[in-house]
Amino acid sequence: MKALKFFLAALAVVSVPALSQETGILKKIKESGTLTLGVRDSSIPFSYLDDKQSYQGYAIDICMRAAKSIQKKLALTSLNIKMVPVTSSTRLPLIANGTIDLECGSTSNNIDRQKQVSFAPTTFITANRILAKKSSNIKTLDDLKGKNVVSTAGTTNLKQIATLNTERGLGMNVLSARDHAEAFLMVETGRASAFVMDDILLASLAATSKNPADFMIGSEALSVEPYGIIEPKHDPAFKKVVDDVFIEMMKNGEMSRLYSKWFQTPIPPKGVNLNVPMSAELQAVIKNPTDSGDPAAYVLKK
């Protein structure tokens, strides 16, 4: 009898790992068979709609790679990918309330945002700069005294330009646009003298505009902005699955190949080559992945 009890007890212990151990978001995905991604309409080349109304981009490709890993982890024969359009203002709240599982766009990772959400390892590094028409002769922030300046609602860029406006007493009229495309259009049509945003997004919008040669991007860097895929906070199991695949991509060269695809070769819908070499800062991150929200973590030591 004792032997039988011992056998049953041992069997129970052995059987535990075979039971589903998923909790939180992994459990939700397994039960629904759906991964929900937050995507952007005009964050070229990270997440945007092409001429066939299909979502494309560097961040989309990265998230789809994560989706494959999640499907494998959960032993699902198939995984439905639901794409939900988000804006700069809605992306964090929709992650926080569980509407979307990952946000695949062009979102800056900073310490303040990490109070609400988590971030996967950094996959791009940019800087906050000024875009204006060449004919305006605007090159620096000081050139914008008393002028209309636009940035996108819900971004760190808008917050920063408002702060700098006050600190420097520039008297600018700081305007808020719904998305990057609207902000660029305001400069294009003369409703704003300049658009303050991450330089890579400014370069992408200018390169794909009707008259790319009409625009310039200032050399003055107002901030350092590390980009990361947004993850829900307080779900370490889900974060580990996502982070592990990104780190693997960095180690095996897949991340660098995706970078070349989106930043150094022609991209849809117009076949424009942004021709942006990988920065030394991003090369350092790929060598030593980090999800730090501290800009100082991305400054190269001399």
Side-chain angles (χ1 to χ4, degrees), residues 14-166:
V14 172
S15 298
V16 168
L19 299 176
S20 176
Q21 298 295 302
E22 287 79 29
T23 59
I25 296 170
L26 289 175
K27 182 180 180 181
K28 182 186 77 169
I29 294 171
K30 186 163 190 176
E31 292 176 349
S32 66
T34 299
L35 173 68
T36 305
L37 305 179
V39 292
R40 305 296 297 274
D41 287 354
S42 58
S43 288
I44 303 170
F46 297 89
S47 178
Y48 65 100
L49 283 169
D50 63 13
D51 53 344
K52 298 178 182 177
Q53 296 299 292
S54 175
Y55 286 101
Q56 303 280 347
Y58 178 61
I60 297 291
D61 279 359
I62 291 171
C63 280
M64 294 305 292
R65 179 65 178 81
K68 289 183 180 179
S69 183
I70 291 168
Q71 181 179 343
K72 182 178 180 181
K73 168 73 175 177
L74 298 177
L76 296 172
T77 55
S78 64
L79 180 63
N80 177 45
I81 306 297
K82 181 180 180 182
M83 295 193 177
V84 176
V86 299
T87 66
S88 298
S89 298
T90 64
R91 55 192 170 178
L92 268 66
L94 291 178
I95 280 281
N97 68 19
T99 301
I100 57 177
D101 302 318
L102 293 171
E103 192 266 347
C104 314
S106 50
T107 302
S108 296
N109 175 5
N110 59 47
I111 294 170
D112 187 54
R113 284 176 172 170
Q114 286 190 3
K115 296 173 184 176
Q116 305 174 61
V117 297
S118 289
F119 285 84
T122 295
T123 49
F124 195 83
I125 300 171
T126 185
N128 192 15
R129 300 183 195 271
I130 296 166
L131 173 139
K133 285 187 175 180
K134 290 179 181 177
S135 58
S136 70
N137 204 32
I138 292 170
K139 296 180 180 178
T140 68
L141 193 60
D142 288 337
D143 294 333
L144 290 168
K145 288 181 180 179
K147 299 184 184 298
N148 288 345
V149 180
V150 65
S151 194
T152 308
T155 63
T156 56
N157 313 77
L158 181 63
K159 183 177 179 180
Q160 184 188 37
I161 198 64
T163 300
L164 290 173
N165 188 33
T166 301

Side-chain angles (χ1 to χ4, degrees), residues 170-202:
L170 297 173
M172 297 184 297
N173 181 26
V174 179
L175 306 173
S176 172
R178 185 182 67 84
D179 57 25
H180 304 323
E182 182 180 74
F184 184 83
L185 182 62
M186 289 175 71
V187 175
E188 201 169 30
T189 57
R191 286 178 287 163
S193 297
F195 176 17
V196 178
M197 183 46 58
D198 301 337
D199 53 15
I200 185 60
L201 298 178
L202 296 177

Side-chain angles (χ1 to χ4, degrees), residues 153-257:
T155 63
T156 56
N157 313 77
L158 181 63
K159 183 177 179 180
Q160 184 188 37
I161 198 64
T163 300
L164 290 173
N165 188 33
T166 301
E167 289 177 351
R168 298 192 189 182
L170 297 173
M172 297 184 297
N173 181 26
V174 179
L175 306 173
S176 172
R178 185 182 67 84
D179 57 25
H180 304 323
E182 182 180 74
F184 184 83
L185 182 62
M186 289 175 71
V187 175
E188 201 169 30
T189 57
R191 286 178 287 163
S193 297
F195 176 17
V196 178
M197 183 46 58
D198 301 337
D199 53 15
I200 185 60
L201 298 178
L202 296 177
S204 301
L205 288 163
T208 55
S209 68
K210 295 177 182 176
N211 300 294
D214 288 353
F215 303 95
M216 61 76 62
I217 297 172
S219 59
E220 181 182 17
L222 305 178
S223 68
V224 174
E225 305 285 337
Y227 282 179
I229 302 299
I230 310 181
E231 306 162 325
K233 201 169 179 64
H234 306 307
D235 196 327
F238 182 67
K239 178 174 175 56
K240 183 176 184 347
V241 173
V242 175
D243 288 9
D244 282 355
V245 70
F246 289 0
I247 292 170
E248 179 188 352
M249 291 170 70
M250 291 176 180
K251 289 181 177 179
N252 66 20
E254 189 175 354
M255 194 71 76
S256 295
R257 288 191 291 274

Side-chain angles (χ1 to χ4, degrees), residues 121-122 247 250-251 281-292 297-298 300:
T122 295
I247 292 170
M250 291 176 180
K251 289 181 177 179
E281 289 81 4
L282 184 55
Q283 289 178 42
V285 168
I286 287 178
K287 187 175 180 180
N288 295 292
T290 178
D291 62 359
S292 176
Y298 302 92
L300 296 178

